[in-house]
């Protein structure tokens, strides 16, 4: 049995007051979890706790160090002058900067592959401040995948995309799950977009968190 890349033991999280009952949860390689629930129920707070941005109120979190996080879209992220290709490559090499535009052969190959996957080739030399919000989200998802992390957190990562590109972007994440045995946790208000891709659902429901496996029809 594969070792879990994320484990929660009696985890309680929130601000002052817990947002749910204690959570026992295990995420294994190759799983795609859709995280669902109404606004304000605690989905983003859970992610921040899992990532270490917030301290747990109680309990324990153990996760792999190989992870990537795509937060909800913010204009501040794109205030600096930078090309699409350089923003994507931040995920490939954290030592790279926007002022070092030359990459090694392996990096160039990885960049070309992920730009093609997210239909960003024609935008690669554009300034990120000049592209649309949906295109920016595709840039951030490409940045998250380029380093081939073991665990990817997506917080409404396709909210500004049109339906076609939202499905495409999540499909690329699902392919990463299948091809590299990565795991994806995706907060969404639109389960219908993920119903054919997710392997599991974590649903917030009136102070409880319900876990379920998505049963796939055999083809």
């Amino acid at each position: 049995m594969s070792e879990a890349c994320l484990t929660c033991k009696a985890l309680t999280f929130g601000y002052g007051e817990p947002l749910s009952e204690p959570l026992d949860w295990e995420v294994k390689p190759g799983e795609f979890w859709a995280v669902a629930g109404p606004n304000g129920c605690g989905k983003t707070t859970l992610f921040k706790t899992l990532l270490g941005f917030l301290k747990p109120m109680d309990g324990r979190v153990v996760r792999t160090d190989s992870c990537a996080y795509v937060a909800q879209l913010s204009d501040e992220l794109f205030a600096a002058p930078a090309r699409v290709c350089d923003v994507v490559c931040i995920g490939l090499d954290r030592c790279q900067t926007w002022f070092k535009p030359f990459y090694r052969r392996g990096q160039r190959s990885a960049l070309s592959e992920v730009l093609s996957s997210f239909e960003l080739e024609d935008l690669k030399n554009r300034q990120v401040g000049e592209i649309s919000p949906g295109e920016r989200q595709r840039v951030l998802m490409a940045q998250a995948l380029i380093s081939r992390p073991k665990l990817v957190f997506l917080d409404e990562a396709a909210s500004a995309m049109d339906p076609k590109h939202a499905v495409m972007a999540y499909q690329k994440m699902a392919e990463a799950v299948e091809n590299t045995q990565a795991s994806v946790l995706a907060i969404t208000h639109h389960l219908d977009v993920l119903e054919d891709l997710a392997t599991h659902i974590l649903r917030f429901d009136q102070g409880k968190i319900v876990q379920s496996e998505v049963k796939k029809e055999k083809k």
Side-chain angles (χ1 to χ4, degrees):
M1 183 176 293
S2 299
E3 184 177 351
C5 54
L6 173 70
T7 302
C8 300
K9 294 291 187 182
L11 176 65
T12 304
F13 57 93
Y15 298 92
E17 295 291 334
L19 291 173
S20 77
E21 62 185 11
L23 174 63
D24 290 311
W25 185 27
E26 189 172 74
V27 177
K28 296 179 181 178
E31 294 180 347
F32 191 130
W33 285 79
V35 181
N39 287 331
C41 66
K43 301 184 298 297
T44 296
T45 303
L46 171 62
F47 270 26
K48 290 180 177 179
T49 305
L50 298 176
L51 287 160
F53 301 153
L54 293 175
K55 185 178 179 179
M57 299 180 69
D58 201 0
R60 186 163 61 98
V61 176
V62 179
R63 65 164 173 79
T64 177
D65 291 330
S66 175
C67 60
Y69 175 45
V70 181
Q72 295 183 34
L73 195 63
S74 169
D75 289 338
E76 285 81 4
L77 293 171
F78 300 94
R83 298 176 301 170
V84 164
C85 60
D86 293 320
V87 173
V88 172
C89 273
I90 291 172
L92 180 64
D93 185 348
R94 296 297 177 180
C95 296
Q96 203 72 33
T97 75
W98 296 327
F99 306 105
K100 295 180 182 179
F102 302 106
Y103 304 99
R104 298 186 295 272
R105 180 180 299 176
Q107 292 175 317
R108 291 196 299 270
S109 176
L111 175 61
S112 177
E113 180 180 345
V114 77
L115 288 175
S116 176
S117 292
F118 286 91
E119 299 183 3
L120 294 168
E121 309 101 310
D122 294 341
L123 301 176
K124 66 181 180 180
N125 290 315
R126 293 275 300 277
Q127 295 290 309
V128 289
E130 299 174 351
I131 62 178
S132 72
E135 290 166 341
R136 293 175 186 175
Q137 286 190 318
R138 283 154 52 199
V139 168
L140 292 177
M141 292 178 80
Q143 182 195 90
L145 272 192
I146 194 171
S147 62
R148 299 170 69 90
K150 294 180 180 178
L151 181 61
V152 182
F153 294 83
L154 305 175
D155 189 351
E156 286 291 324
S159 59
M161 296 183 199
D162 60 67
K164 171 193 169 185
H165 283 106
V167 171
M168 176 272 293
Y170 282 126
Q171 284 175 336
K172 295 303 175 184
M173 289 293 170
E175 289 172 10
V177 167
E178 183 175 354
N179 296 336
T180 69
Q181 285 297 287
S183 300
V184 175
L185 313 179
I187 291 176
T188 181
H189 288 293
H190 304 288
L191 274 176
D192 57 319
V193 175
L194 294 179
E195 62 183 356
D196 293 329
L197 302 175
T199 62
H200 298 76
I201 297 174
L202 188 79
R203 191 189 302 271
F204 285 68
D205 184 12
Q206 298 181 345
K208 296 183 179 181
I209 299 180
V210 180
Q211 304 175 40
S212 60
E213 183 176 356
V214 178
K215 302 296 183 181
K216 305 290 186 180
E217 293 185 5
K218 294 183 178 180
K219 296 183 179 181

